[in-house]
Amino acid sequence: MQLYTTKEFGAQPEEWHTAMLAFSFFGRYERDGWDMQYFSALDMSVMLPLKTLITDPSSEHLVNFRHRDSTLAVSIGRHSLETAHGLHQYTMDAHSTADSPYSVRKDGLAISTATTRDGTKLYTRSNFINGAWSTVMVSAKPWDINTYQAVASSIAKGRSAPLDITENGKLIEVVRQTMAFAESEEPAEKTPSHRSAEPERAGGSGSGFVVSSDGHVLTNAHVVDECSAIYVDGVSASLVDVSNEFDLALLKATLEETKTVAVFSASPAMLNSDVTAVGFPYAGLLGGINVTRGTISSLKGLGGDSNTFQITAPVQSGNSGGPLLASDGEIVGVVVSKLDATVMAQNGGDVPQNVNFAIRGEIAKVFLAQNQVEAKLSLDNVVLAPEQLAKSAANFTTFVECK
């Protein structure tokens, strides 16, 4: 709870934070159908997203599943000692970081974990039940670590009870109190609507950045909205997918060989960390790529939006869709909007200074994964000189035109 409240609210845990965490879980619970699944052949239970679970072809020793909306994969099987040993050895051999992999070996129980070179987490558990080894293997990319940990920690022998909240327990009481308090609050006058943060476009242009060696380019959905033709660095591009919920769009084009693939940060951006926004503002008016620097001033977007965070790096029309970089040159966000100064002046009597927003890098990675594009990751965390960072960013940042 302390990690959650520090990240989401910048504060120490309070009871109402528990309710907010529960609300976010309720949404995912309903959407994905998370619940305990009992496998009678194994005599084991695992928490799975039953509404969004895809069954993949079985391998020699395992039945394979994956989550449609994340990188989570789960495999199950019942094996001899020799096969179970081979699965655990496979997990241990996959470990590629300096830290020692975690493992447990007890009578009737074996657990092995690993982290691969690209940050993928692996967890393998085998229990000796009724004369054979029942095995569950879980894996996920680093941006889905919470989902991975929840599933791995849910594995249990026997039949587990369905997910539910204890009637008249502490959590349900906190939820009721929070809802009652929220309903009793009068809406504040002159509260700016979400339209106070307007996506910026300039004559049908914006920014983007290369996310795969196949020519995939990530930008904002509003940059390519209602386009009859799209161009990336002057080259015709096709629209692969759009998410209006995240305000993200994936394009594909045949780009110059000099273009490089942007590297995403394996960890979320931290409050007050230095960031650099890169893009092509005021296309046709300003020449070439533009770079501005600032910090992450809030881990929430306008109105507490959890998909975005607030930055002080100056943002202009045409910056939308451009990369937001940490001090090591890795992507931590996608520039999306700035606070509408005119609306704020009219409603609040003040002109905001450097109140801009970026979509979280974790959200961008989820969107890419949904389109089977694997975000390139790095664990180096080597701080670059500002000049080096700008030079590196210029190699993967693109100019996007909407005709």
Side-chain angles (χ1 to χ4, degrees):
M1 279 302 299
Q2 186 164 22
L3 289 172
Y4 167 74
T5 57
T6 300
K7 176 183 176 182
E8 298 295 330
F9 304 101
Q12 292 298 306
E14 298 181 27
E15 284 197 342
W16 68 272
H17 291 144
T18 308
M20 298 305 295
L21 181 58
F23 291 147
S24 67
F25 170 75
F26 295 155
R28 297 186 65 181
Y29 173 87
E30 179 62 28
R31 184 187 70 233
D32 291 355
W34 287 95
D35 213 334
M36 297 301 298
Q37 176 68 35
Y38 174 66
F39 294 97
S40 57
L42 276 66
D43 192 24
M44 296 183 73
S45 297
V46 187
M47 184 178 71
L48 295 171
L50 301 178
K51 289 183 181 179
T52 50
L53 194 66
I54 297 173
T55 302
D56 283 335
S58 299
S59 52
E60 182 180 0
H61 300 294
L62 298 165
V63 177
N64 304 307
F65 307 95
R66 60 184 170 88
H67 184 203
R68 185 190 67 196
D69 297 331
S70 74
T71 60
L72 174 74
V74 178
S75 300
I76 64 170
R78 189 158 166 82
H79 314 106
S80 65
L81 175 61
E82 181 181 4
T83 300
H85 175 76
L87 294 174
H88 284 271
Q89 190 61 50
Y90 166 83
T91 303
M92 301 291 283
D93 290 344
H95 189 73
S96 300
T97 65
D99 297 334
S100 299
Y102 173 78
S103 66
V104 173
R105 299 292 185 269
K106 296 181 178 179
D107 289 341
L109 172 66
I111 296 175
S112 301
T113 66
T115 303
T116 66
R117 190 175 304 278
D118 68 352
T120 297
K121 299 289 185 179
L122 302 177
Y123 177 93
T124 301
R125 170 172 170 165
S126 298
N127 283 87
F128 189 71
I129 301 174
N130 299 327
W133 290 87
S134 295
T135 299
V136 179
M137 303 183 73
V138 184
S139 69
K141 298 295 185 182
W143 54 89
D144 291 318
I145 184 65
N146 292 337
T147 304
Y148 159 86
Q149 290 175 335
V151 173
S153 63
S154 74
I155 302 170
K157 293 174 61 176
R159 186 186 296 271
S160 294
L163 293 180
D164 204 354
I165 298 178
T166 305
E167 187 176 356
N168 297 323
K170 178 65 174 178
L171 178 57
I172 197 66
E173 180 60 27
V174 171
V175 170
R176 287 170 179 162
Q177 290 175 359
T178 303
M179 292 180 65
F181 176 78
E183 291 171 357
S184 68
E185 289 292 290
E186 293 294 330
E189 294 185 3
K190 294 186 178 182
T191 299
S193 71
H194 68 281
R195 289 175 296 178
S196 296
E198 293 292 342
E200 294 297 327
R201 291 181 64 182
S205 70
S207 305
F209 56 99
V210 183
V211 292
S212 85
S213 57
D214 292 329
H216 289 99
V217 173
L218 189 64
T219 187
N220 286 148
H222 72 261
V223 169
V224 295
D225 186 34
E226 299 182 358
C227 300
S228 58
I230 304 171
Y231 295 88
V232 175
D233 287 349
V235 177
S236 179
S238 60
L239 181 62
V240 178
D241 192 25
V242 171
S243 171
N244 291 318
E245 178 185 1
F246 296 150
D247 198 356
L248 290 172
L250 186 64
L251 313 177
K252 190 173 183 181
T254 302
L255 303 175
E256 295 181 3
E257 293 183 358
T258 54
K259 284 294 184 183
T260 59
V261 178
V263 176
F264 280 79
S265 174
S267 57
M270 303 297 289
L271 187 66
N272 202 36
S273 58
D274 293 332
V275 289
T276 299
V278 184
F280 293 88
Y282 296 124
L285 185 62
L286 300 180
I289 199 166
N290 189 272
V291 177
T292 59
R293 298 166 65 185
T295 63
I296 295 178
S297 52
S298 174
L299 294 177
K300 290 283 189 177
L302 191 67
D305 178 23
S306 59
N307 290 337
T308 59
F309 51 70
Q310 184 179 325
I311 59 175
T312 63
V315 169
Q316 312 299 337
S317 294
N319 269 119
S320 287
L324 186 75
L325 311 176
S327 57
D328 55 8
E330 296 174 4
I331 306 294
V332 292
V334 182
V335 176
V336 67
S337 62
K338 66 179 182 179
L339 204 61
D340 191 310
T342 303
V343 173
M344 288 299 295
Q346 291 173 349
N347 289 275
D350 190 21
V351 177
Q353 300 292 322
N354 292 340
V355 181
N356 307 308
F357 302 96
I359 299 164
R360 289 178 177 272
E362 305 89 84
I363 298 295
K365 286 184 283 191
V366 168
F367 176 66
L368 292 179
Q370 290 172 345
N371 286 281
Q372 299 184 12
V373 175
E374 185 174 348
K376 186 176 180 181
L377 298 177
S378 172
L379 302 175
D380 292 341
N381 297 321
V382 177
V383 176
L384 299 179
E387 300 84 357
Q388 275 186 293
L389 188 149
K391 184 176 181 180
S392 172
N395 290 331
F396 54 73
T397 305
T398 62
F399 178 53
V400 180
E401 294 177 276
C402 175
K403 300 291 187 180

